[in-house]
Amino acid sequence: MYVVKSRDELSDHDSIRSLPACNGYDEAFFEKNYLLLVLLGEGSGSVRHQVQSVEQTADKKLAVSISRIVPEVGTCDMAQWHIIVELGKEYMLQSPDEAQIFLDYFENKEANEI
């Protein structure tokens, strides 16, 4: 579990798992919106990601398409990526089972070429 609070609100126990990227969100944002956090693990820290689309399907599931941008030469370090997707509450999920994450693979492409 990850704690989405500002650093000032965290105890020493929580700070290890906090997501500093979420510090910019305030109560006004969460009145009409929420965050979907997608955690991806990669065998190389050189692999990047870009959210391509977010759509609600006919059966009310959320379909999130994410591109994997894989360079020709990568590093040998493993990496975890936390992708934050801002969504309006009209897309609110009742359970994680209602989200479908699709990863598309793009080799040797830059994010701005997709």
Side-chain angles (χ1 to χ4, degrees):
M1 180 169 111
Y2 290 90
V3 179
V4 182
K5 297 181 181 176
S6 70
R7 283 235 180 250
D8 298 337
E9 298 176 284
L10 296 172
S11 68
D12 289 337
H13 173 73
D14 290 334
S15 63
I16 292 173
R17 297 182 185 164
S18 71
L19 294 176
C22 295
N23 286 345
Y25 298 98
D26 59 12
E27 288 183 35
F29 173 84
F30 288 108
E31 287 176 10
K32 296 182 180 178
N33 306 286
Y34 76 102
L35 300 176
L36 175 68
L37 304 176
V38 179
L39 174 63
L40 296 175
E42 293 287 358
S44 172
S46 299
V47 177
R48 296 179 298 140
H49 305 89
Q50 183 176 15
V51 175
Q52 294 297 314
S53 66
V54 178
E55 300 173 3
Q56 195 165 32
T57 65
D59 59 352
K60 300 294 184 191
K61 291 191 178 187
L62 196 62
V64 180
S65 179
I66 299 174
S67 296
R68 291 179 72 240
I69 304 157
V70 181
E72 186 174 327
V73 177
T75 56
C76 292
D77 58 332
M78 294 184 73
Q80 285 190 335
W81 297 96
H82 295 87
I83 299 172
I84 300 171
V85 182
E86 297 177 0
L87 295 168
K89 285 200 174 177
E90 65 271 19
Y91 297 107
M92 182 68 80
L93 303 175
Q94 300 303 312
S95 79
D97 295 333
E98 294 177 354
Q100 300 171 322
I101 310 299
F102 299 96
L103 290 176
D104 297 322
Y105 177 82
F106 293 96
E107 189 172 351
N108 303 326
K109 296 242 182 199
E110 293 299 321
N112 58 4
E113 293 178 358
I114 296 175

